[in-house]
Amino acid sequence: YTSVGQLGMTVTNFGVLGNGWNKINGEILPSCQYKQHTEVLREQVEYFSYAGLWIGGIVNGQRRVSTSIVDGVFDSGDEGFEYFATSGMGIKSSISSTSEDPMAQYYDPSSVSHQDFITDFKDYGSSNNDNNGITNHNPLGIDIHLESYTWNFSYADAFVLLKYTITNSSQDDIENLYAGFWADASVANFNYTDYYTPGGGFSWYDNLDGFDTTVDEAGFTRDLAYQYDADGDDGWAESYLGISILGGSIPMKYLKTNYYQWVWTNSNNSDYPAYSMPIDDNERYEKMSSSVPKGTGPDYTSEGYPASENSWLFLISAGPTGSIPNADTT
């Protein structure tokens, strides 16, 4: 997990972020915690149990989506848990080898940040069309190289940058590719609501989500998917989780960022029908390539998203991308 800054986030070599708050040798390691280096208990907030990469595209007219993790699927080999490690986890650091900092042992002049993680994974088995026995999984045939960057600067210690390089290793073209993130967010402070003690009070169901499309002072649209604890847990969980897509090899003017949210494992939301969980690749691609409609009235927030507290998840994605533009504007 990232340890040099204040945001401690688990990064894996199979596309998943977070560790589900599982104890390892009796210790709870950060899943996505800010702040992690503080003695002030009110500041030690966790933001998600799991999150992960989704990649979707059209192959020979068929919609395919490869997911690192989906609602309720936490085991390799299950439908929805569809990436496989092809390397371990490399570590590099820009912290000088003469420093007494623990990261100095990983000093490498080619590093980008104070703590670089480097790893590789793929969505297929031994051959490009091998699904490794996963039910309903139609691989895109892609290899993914991930590098994460973290700093300990006081002005840059609250975020982690994730850089993905996606390579088509199949014999087929992948058209209209979208890349995105699914997050099982739940903003909570375990010092206030103990996840592990029966009756401790921890709740998945007191969160609200949204998508910030306001324009900042530099003229950029924020396009930030976010979640917060609706009542702030008496001051113990008053900060926000935010995930944003920052760009890629395709200029941002060609990319559209999309946003969806739904309640955990609810594929037929009677209260908010548009806010329902996708259940197959066709529906997942539909949500990656479009945005959930905003609502009005007392059932929605002022930003247009559901005002009912619940175990909300969100998906943020961007695309479509391709190798060759169709015209000057696409």
Side-chain angles (χ1 to χ4, degrees):
Y1 64 93
T2 59
S3 60
V4 298
Q6 286 287 15
L7 180 60
M9 186 176 73
T10 296
V11 181
T12 75
N13 60 351
F14 46 92
V16 174
L17 303 177
N19 56 38
W21 306 319
N22 290 307
K23 290 186 177 181
I24 301 175
N25 296 325
E27 181 182 6
I28 307 174
L29 301 179
S31 188
C32 181
Q33 179 184 325
Y34 179 88
K35 298 178 176 179
Q36 63 172 332
H37 303 306
T38 177
E39 298 300 319
V40 181
L41 298 183
R42 284 177 177 261
E43 294 181 345
Q44 299 172 3
V45 181
E46 278 280 5
Y47 296 91
F48 61 66
S49 59
Y50 290 107
L53 181 68
W54 286 26
I55 300 176
I58 298 176
V59 179
N60 297 324
Q62 179 189 45
R63 292 178 172 184
R64 300 183 186 180
V65 178
S66 291
T67 57
S68 61
I69 190 167
V70 298
D71 301 46
V73 178
F74 305 124
D75 295 313
S76 178
D78 286 348
E79 178 182 353
F81 201 112
E82 298 169 349
Y83 292 122
F84 315 98
T86 57
S87 76
M89 185 69 71
I91 305 175
K92 295 193 299 185
S93 176
S94 61
I95 296 175
S96 171
S97 58
T98 61
S99 169
E100 295 182 359
D101 190 293
M103 287 305 300
Q105 63 181 308
Y106 302 107
Y107 173 71
D108 189 312
S110 67
S111 60
V112 174
S113 70
H114 291 149
Q115 188 177 47
D116 300 5
F117 291 160
I118 305 100
T119 192
D120 298 274
F121 47 95
K122 62 182 182 179
D123 77 332
Y124 59 92
S126 57
S127 63
N128 295 137
N129 60 357
D130 180 5
N131 68 358
N132 265 21
I134 297 177
T135 304
N136 298 322
H137 175 46
N138 294 310
L140 289 161
I142 50 176
D143 289 286
I144 301 156
H145 177 76
L146 166 62
E147 297 187 12
S148 69
Y149 307 130
T150 318
W151 290 265
N152 64 17
F153 297 128
S154 60
Y155 57 84
D157 66 358
F159 60 83
V160 176
L161 296 183
L162 301 164
K163 180 181 179 181
Y164 294 91
T165 303
I166 304 165
T167 302
N168 182 8
S169 297
S170 76
Q171 301 302 309
D172 298 313
D173 290 337
I174 303 174
E175 299 178 351
N176 294 331
L177 185 143
Y178 288 82
F181 261 91
W182 169 96
D184 185 5
S186 184
V187 179
N189 189 320
F190 288 4
N191 301 304
Y192 175 76
T193 53
D194 189 348
Y195 178 68
Y196 292 94
T197 302
F202 177 85
S203 175
W204 295 96
Y205 300 98
D206 60 352
N207 298 297
L208 292 174
D209 291 12
F211 186 51
D212 182 359
T213 58
T214 58
V215 178
D216 65 19
E217 294 178 355
F220 293 99
T221 304
R222 290 187 172 88
D223 289 344
L224 184 76
Y226 62 86
Q227 182 178 104
Y228 60 99
D229 188 292
D231 61 12
D233 284 347
D234 295 331
W236 288 79
E238 293 188 320
S239 47
Y240 283 61
L241 163 70
I243 299 179
S244 183
I245 294 173
L246 303 179
S249 58
I250 306 299
M252 281 299 289
K253 68 178 182 178
Y254 295 124
L255 294 180
K256 175 177 172 53
T257 301
N258 297 310
Y259 172 80
Y260 251 92
Q261 69 178 77
W262 58 86
V263 173
W264 169 262
T265 67
N266 189 336
S267 59
N268 186 18
N269 191 329
S270 58
D271 294 327
Y272 300 97
Y275 292 74
S276 295
M277 177 188 72
I279 60 174
D280 55 31
D281 278 4
N282 186 65
E283 293 186 7
R284 288 170 187 147
Y285 186 86
E286 181 68 27
K287 295 201 183 302
M288 293 189 77
S289 58
S290 62
S291 286
V292 69
K294 294 183 179 181
T296 58
D299 293 333
Y300 295 87
T301 65
S302 58
E303 290 78 25
Y305 299 101
S308 296
E309 301 170 23
N310 214 319
S311 179
W312 290 106
L313 317 178
F314 66 75
L315 172 69
I316 183 172
S317 58
T321 66
S323 300
I324 304 172
N326 292 325
D328 292 339
T329 59
T330 63

